[in-house]
């Protein structure tokens, strides 16, 4: 058993230190790039509704569990689980695989953002708005390797030089700028021809669009966006002071993160409607390229103003992405450090090498390995036809590993260590308002729901049942 006296550990500067660090990790490409394309793909309002429900029930429970576990044990993922018995270390190990799968492809998208940021200085906005611009940039074009390496190096250097605190301080200001800019662009998007139809599609749930695939996608997105089910929040919780209110902090992070994702949808979905013309066309076209295909078409008719707006926008997204990739890479480094008991410097070199090699490999999915269709040919998932390695890596982490880690975490908290131990941890600093919700979710609803949803998803994909 663990003593409640955690070993001396550096801690956040108060409640806001934690919230800001967690928000810097949470708000990133997941909000601006991934959320809007999933919402566009899975029926707009229906997806939005499911997502919000999942965040306030499931996401809340898991984030409370992870942060309380971290604060209680004063350890990162593997140590936190194994401090209750060596045999539980595997949950931490599984969780630790996730950042190694996400970071490489996250940095590929980070590279695309960097390219667009620079392109808005170097090329007329009208050229960037040409509909084939994006595909000719990512497909069979060695330039993407360059931007991937640029983004990777930036991430590695910030972590190696230990300057992320400084970056995160700047990020506070930039995040506000990102919000202001997104509000402005959202209003503009709504005024485009067809924009209001897009708004209706995004806000009014059409229940005929509900499907298991939608729920699975929303669940994976929730883990991704809130940085859950990969051990990060356990580590962050371990830096959390014993006398600060955990529950309130978790709420703040959720509201902030979800708010920015919803805002990004306001900006991108009506614009996508205006560009493509109908809900079906938007859903068919929605994928990793949505943001890069749609926004430049919005900026293209604005002349020089288009260049300025395009540059500022992608620069803000670039910073949000960088603070998240830093947090992802930092997690990889601390995993290597703890696991192999080596110096931080060695760990940085090893983690960087692994991510570099995997990143190059995933990027080959748009080049030499373009012929592969991993989701379709490997799993026979009809709806994923035309997939690339990036989709495959995204699938393995968000749809396979994270739900498994989340399920194991709930079972571990619900039945092995019992919720009470974490509830007491939370109550050390403040009352736990949603205590009942937490217990019921962690013990019953979350595990049952996840098993049902995942099993039906697999049976459905395998064609055994038809949902
Ligand atoms: N939550 C981040 C985003 O939405 C991604 C991320 C996941 C960052 C996990 C760190 C850890 O972009």
């Amino acid at each position: 058993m663990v003593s409640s006296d955690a070993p001396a550990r550096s801690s956040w500067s108060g409640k806001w230190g934690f919230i800001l660090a967690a928000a810097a990790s949470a708000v990133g490409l997941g909000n601006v790039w991934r959320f809007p394309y999933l919402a566009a793909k899975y029926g707009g309002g229906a997806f939005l509704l499911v997502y919000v429900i999942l965040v306030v029930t499931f996401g809340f429970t898991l984030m409370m569990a992870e942060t309380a576990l971290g604060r209680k044990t004063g350890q990162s993922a593997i140590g936190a689980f194994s401090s209750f018995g060596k045999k539980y270390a595997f949950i931490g190990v599984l969780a630790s695989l996730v950042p190694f799968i996400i970071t490489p492809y996250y940095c590929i998208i980070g590279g695309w953002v960097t390219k667009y940021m620079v392109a808005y200085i170097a090329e007329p906005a009208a050229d960037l708005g040409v509909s084939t611009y994006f595909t000719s940039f990512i497909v069979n074009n060695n330039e993407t390797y360059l931007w991937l390496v640029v983004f990777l190096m930036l991430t590695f250097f910030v972590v190696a030089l230990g300057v992320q605190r400084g970056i995160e301080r700047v990020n506070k200001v930039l995040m506000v700028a990102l919000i202001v800019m997104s509000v402005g662009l959202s209003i503009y998007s709504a005024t485009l021809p067809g924009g209001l139809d897009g708004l209706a599609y995004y806000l009014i749930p059409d229940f005929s669009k509900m499907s298991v695939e939608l729920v699975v996608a929303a669940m994976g997105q929730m883990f991704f966006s809130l940085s859950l089910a990969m051990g990060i929040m356990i580590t962050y919780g371990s830096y959390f002071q014993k006398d600060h209110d955990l529950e309130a902090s978790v709420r703040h992070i959720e509201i902030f993160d979800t708010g920015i994702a919803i805002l990004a949808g306001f900006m991108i979905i009506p614009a996508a409607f205006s560009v493509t013309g109908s809900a079906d066309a938007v859903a068919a076209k929605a994928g990793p390229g949505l943001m890069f295909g749609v926004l430049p078409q919005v900026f293209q008719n604005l002349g020089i103003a288009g260049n300025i707006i395009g540059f500022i926008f992608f620069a803000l997204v670039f910073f949000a992405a960088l603070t998240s990739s830093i947090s992802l890479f930092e997690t990889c480094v601390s995993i290597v450090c703890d696991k192999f008991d080596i110096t931080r410097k060695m760990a940085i070199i090893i983690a960087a090498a692994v991510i570099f090699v995997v990143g190059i490999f995933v990027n080959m999915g748009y080049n030499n390995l373009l012929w592969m269709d991993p989701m379709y040919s490997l799993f026979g998932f009809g709806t994923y036809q035309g997939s690339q390695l990036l989709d495959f890596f995204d699938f393995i982490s968000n749809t396979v590993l994270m739900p498994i880690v989340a399920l194991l975490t709930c079972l571990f908290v619900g039945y092995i260590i019992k919720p009470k131990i974490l509830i007491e941890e939370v109550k050390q600093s403040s009352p736990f308002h949603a205590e009942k919700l937490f217990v019921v979710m962690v013990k019953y609803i979350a595990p049952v729901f996840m098993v049902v949803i995942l099993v039906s998803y697999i049976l459905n994909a395998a064609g055994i049942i038809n949902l």
Side-chain angles (χ1 to χ4, degrees), residues 108-125 127-138 143-144 147 288-297 299 306-318:
I108 292 179
I109 316 291
W112 297 352
V113 173
T114 319
K115 149 84 184 183
Y116 272 71
M117 174 175 83
V118 173
Y120 272 104
I121 303 178
E123 296 170 46
D127 291 2
L128 278 132
V130 174
S131 63
T132 50
Y133 188 93
F134 179 69
T135 27
S136 51
F137 163 56
I138 60 160
E143 198 190 327
T144 48
W147 296 108
L290 188 70
M291 177 174 100
F292 301 95
V294 162
L295 288 180
Q297 297 199 36
F299 303 150
N307 277 83
I308 297 170
I309 296 172
F311 170 75
I312 298 176
F313 177 76
F314 281 103
L316 294 173
V317 176
F318 167 81

Side-chain angles (χ1 to χ4, degrees), residues 58-88:
F58 221 149
F60 170 77
T61 306
L62 210 59
M63 199 183 272
M64 284 307 290
E66 291 192 14
T67 44
L69 199 59
R71 190 170 78 168
K72 166 97 196 143
T73 59
Q75 312 250 352
S76 310
I78 303 183
F81 285 104
S82 65
S83 62
F84 292 94
K86 280 263 167 294
K87 56 178 180 294
Y88 303 120

Side-chain angles (χ1 to χ4, degrees), residues 193-271:
L196 290 179
D197 293 334
L199 214 52
Y201 174 71
Y202 183 44
L203 291 179
I204 304 170
D206 170 357
F207 291 99
S208 70
K209 295 265 164 51
M210 286 289 177
S211 67
V212 232
E213 199 179 314
L214 180 156
V215 181
V216 171
M219 192 163 72
Q221 170 63 15
M222 175 197 76
F223 296 142
F224 185 92
S225 190
L226 293 172
S227 310
L228 293 172
M230 61 170 86
I232 286 198
M233 285 299 152
I234 301 184
T235 310
Y236 278 33
S238 74
Y239 302 138
F240 202 74
Q241 280 153 357
K242 290 281 182 194
D243 56 348
H244 287 291
D245 188 337
L246 261 183
E247 189 182 19
S249 306
V250 165
R251 287 268 185 240
H252 280 116
I253 298 163
E254 281 178 346
I255 293 170
F256 196 59
D257 188 70
T258 308
I260 296 191
I262 294 176
L263 189 55
F266 273 114
M267 178 168 67
I268 291 172
I269 294 177

